[in-house]
Amino acid sequence: MILYITVAAVTALMAGMVNCRPAVQPYRTTRQQMCNRVCLFAIFLILFALSACRLNVGNDYAKYVEFMHLVNCDAYVPTEIGFNLLVKLIYGLSGYENYLLVFAVYAFTTVGIFLLAMYEQSVAFPLTFFLFMTLGYYFQTFSTVRYYLALALALYSMKFVLRRQWGRFIVLILFGAAFHKSLLVVIPLYFLAVLPWKKWQLAVGALFCTTFLFCQEFYLKLVILLYPTYEDTEYLEGGTSYINILRCIAVLFLAGIVYFEKRYHKGSERKDLEGAHLTETDAEGTAFQEHFYFYLNLGALVLYVFCSFLPIISRIGYYLTVSHIFYLPLLLKQIEHVKWRRTLRAGVLLAAVLYFMIYMSRAGNDGTLILPYKTFFFHDMVNILSDVN
C-alpha cells in the first residue's frame, strides 16, 4: 500500500507542474512546454513501469494468463478478436508464451491513452490527474485489462463527440470493441448525452426507466445475447454501487451550485481562473461540454438506481462516470466567487482522498486483489488451471 500511495503522491505532484494550455511561441519551445514534456514522460514511465512489472497482481491476472494459453493452443476463449490476435502476434514473435509482454503492451497503451486524453481535453490537468489516481481508475487497470483499454478509448473518444466528429468517434469505438465489445454501448449513450433534451422528453425518459423495474427478464435476455458465456453463471447476479450513486448525486449537487451561482452573476462579465475574458465561442464550447458531462452523470445515476439487476451495470456506468475527471474541474472553473471556488475545490479534493482511502482499504479483497504488489523480478507465477490439469 505504501508503494501505491507513494506513486499516487509523486505523480500527482508532477502533474501539478503541467499546464495543458501553455503559451506558444513560434519557432521556439517555451520552458512550460519543456516542463510539460518532462513531467508527462516521467508520469507515464512511473505508471507504465508499475503496471508492466507486476506479476499476478489484479483480480483476474491468472485467468488472463489462462486465456492467453488457450488462445495460443487455438482453443475456445470468450475474448474478442483483437485480444486474441494480439496474443498470437506477441507469442509468435517471442517464440514462447510471453504473457508478461502482453500485459506490458496493454499497460503501455492504456496508460498512454489515458494521459493523452487528460492532457488534450481537461481544463485543469493537475486536478483531472489527481482524480484519475484517487478515484482508482489507474489501479483498476491492473484488473480486467481489456475493459480498461476500452475505457481509455471511451475517454479519448469524448473529444470527437464534443467536436461532433461522429465518423471518427464511431471508427475509434469499433476498433476498441475488438478488444472489449461492451464499448459499443457508448455509441447510443454518448449520442443521447449531447441531445438538447426538453422537459417533456425527460419525462418520457423517466417513464421509460420504469420498464427496467418490470421487464427485468427481457433485459437480462439482451445481456445474454451480448455475453452468452454469462448464461447460468454467477455473472448474471446483479448489484449496484452505493458509493457511485452517492458520487453521482454529489456531482449533480455541485452542478446545481454552479448553475445558480452563474445565474447570480449573469449580469457580470464571465472570466476564467486566470482572469482572461471568455470569448463567445469559448462560452458556447464550455456550455456544450457541461451539457454533455451533465447528462453522462445523470445517465449513470439512472443506471445505478434502476438497472442494478444487470450484471454489466458497473461496466456501463464507468463509461459514463469516467467523465467526472473532466466535469469536476470544468464546474469549478465556472465559479466566479473566489472563496466559494476554493471551498468547493477543497471539498472535491477531500472527497477524492477519502474515496482513495476506502479503495485502498479494500485493495486486497476479492474483486480487486491489487495487494500485495508482486513483481516478476522477485516472484514466480502461480500455476494456472491448464497447469494443474
Side-chain angles (χ1 to χ4, degrees):
M1 185 181 296
I2 295 176
L3 174 64
Y4 292 157
I5 294 174
T6 302
V7 167
V10 169
T11 53
L13 288 174
M14 290 181 180
M17 295 184 283
V18 175
N19 179 359
C20 53
R21 301 291 184 272
V24 178
Q25 296 183 9
Y27 311 110
R28 181 183 176 185
T29 300
T30 64
R31 289 184 178 179
Q32 184 59 60
Q33 287 176 309
M34 183 59 66
C35 179
N36 287 351
R37 294 171 186 175
V38 172
C39 290
L40 287 172
F41 178 75
I43 291 171
F44 171 79
L45 195 60
I46 292 172
L47 298 185
F48 165 68
L50 185 67
S51 180
C53 293
R54 76 189 192 279
L55 180 71
N56 202 24
V57 176
N59 184 53
D60 49 8
Y61 190 101
K63 182 184 293 184
Y64 268 107
V65 176
E66 171 74 10
F67 284 163
M68 294 176 201
H69 172 72
L70 294 176
V71 168
N72 193 47
C73 296
D74 295 321
Y76 170 77
V77 287
T79 50
E80 291 79 4
I81 187 172
F83 174 83
N84 299 344
L85 291 177
L86 179 64
V87 169
K88 280 185 170 293
L89 176 63
I90 293 177
Y91 278 17
L93 293 176
S94 300
Y96 66 101
E97 296 192 355
N98 192 354
Y99 56 85
L100 293 174
L101 183 56
V102 177
F103 282 113
V105 169
Y106 265 94
F108 183 94
T109 307
T110 303
V111 172
I113 294 174
F114 267 125
L115 285 177
L116 184 61
M118 289 186 284
Y119 182 76
E120 290 185 351
Q121 299 178 55
S122 176
V123 297
F125 179 83
L127 179 55
T128 291
F129 181 81
F130 180 81
L131 294 172
F132 171 71
M133 295 299 293
T134 54
L135 296 182
Y137 289 113
Y138 167 68
F139 295 104
Q140 279 295 101
T141 63
F142 292 1
S143 303
T144 56
V145 294
R146 291 163 36 247
Y147 172 75
Y148 274 87
L149 172 60
L151 186 66
L153 290 171
L155 188 71
Y156 186 78
S157 74
M158 289 181 185
K159 79 171 187 177
F160 298 126
V161 175
L162 294 172
R163 295 174 183 176
R164 297 177 177 85
Q165 296 174 333
W166 296 107
R168 295 184 180 183
F169 166 71
I170 291 176
V171 168
L172 181 61
I173 297 304
L174 292 177
F175 171 77
F179 293 88
H180 206 285
K181 55 190 173 186
S182 69
L183 184 59
L184 293 172
V185 302
V186 307
I187 295 179
L189 292 178
Y190 286 9
F191 176 74
L192 289 173
V194 300
L195 292 179
W197 290 91
K198 298 179 180 179
K199 292 182 180 179
W200 69 268
Q201 293 172 325
L202 290 174
V204 172
L207 185 63
F208 172 76
C209 288
T210 61
T211 65
F212 292 115
L213 301 176
F214 306 108
C215 306
Q216 295 185 3
E217 291 186 4
F218 170 74
Y219 289 111
L220 283 174
K221 289 180 180 178
L222 292 181
V223 171
I224 292 174
L225 287 177
L226 186 62
Y227 290 95
T229 56
Y230 281 8
E231 190 170 9
D232 298 326
T233 67
E234 70 276 8
Y235 292 113
L236 277 184
E237 296 178 4
T240 191
S241 171
Y242 295 107
I243 291 180
N244 281 328
I245 290 175
L246 291 175
R247 202 171 103 189
C248 290
I249 293 174
V251 172
L252 287 176
F253 181 72
L254 178 60
I257 292 176
V258 173
Y259 173 76
F260 287 108
E261 198 270 349
K262 286 168 67 175
R263 289 194 64 180
Y264 177 78
H265 290 282
K266 189 175 181 181
S268 63
E269 194 170 28
R270 299 294 299 167
K271 300 179 181 179
D272 67 8
L273 288 176
E274 288 73 34
H277 297 289
L278 289 173
T279 65
E280 185 175 348
T281 302
D282 291 335
E284 291 177 357
T286 299
F288 186 57
Q289 282 182 286
E290 285 187 82
H291 176 95
F292 177 57
Y293 298 146
F294 173 83
Y295 280 103
L296 288 181
N297 185 72
L298 181 62
L301 181 60
V302 168
L303 289 175
Y304 283 128
V305 172
F306 290 95
C307 304
S308 59
F309 64 94
L310 293 177
I312 57 173
I313 190 60
S314 61
R315 292 179 177 178
I316 298 175
Y318 265 47
Y319 285 132
L320 305 179
T321 58
V322 70
S323 63
H324 287 173
I325 66 176
F326 292 154
Y327 191 28
L328 290 172
L330 184 65
L331 287 174
L332 292 173
K333 182 180 179 181
Q334 305 307 306
I335 300 175
E336 285 279 347
H337 197 280
V338 175
K339 289 185 178 180
W340 266 106
R341 186 169 64 233
R342 290 177 178 174
T343 301
L344 291 172
R345 180 184 175 87
V348 169
L349 295 176
L350 178 60
V353 171
L354 289 175
Y355 189 98
F356 185 65
M357 292 172 61
I358 295 172
Y359 177 79
M360 280 297 154
S361 69
R362 303 174 178 177
N365 297 350
D366 290 339
T368 307
L369 287 179
I370 62 171
L371 284 177
Y373 182 79
K374 299 177 183 178
T375 173
F376 60 81
F377 292 114
F378 306 110
H379 300 87
D380 295 321
M381 182 60 191
V382 298
N383 291 330
I384 60 176
L385 185 61
S386 296
D387 295 330
V388 173
N389 293 336

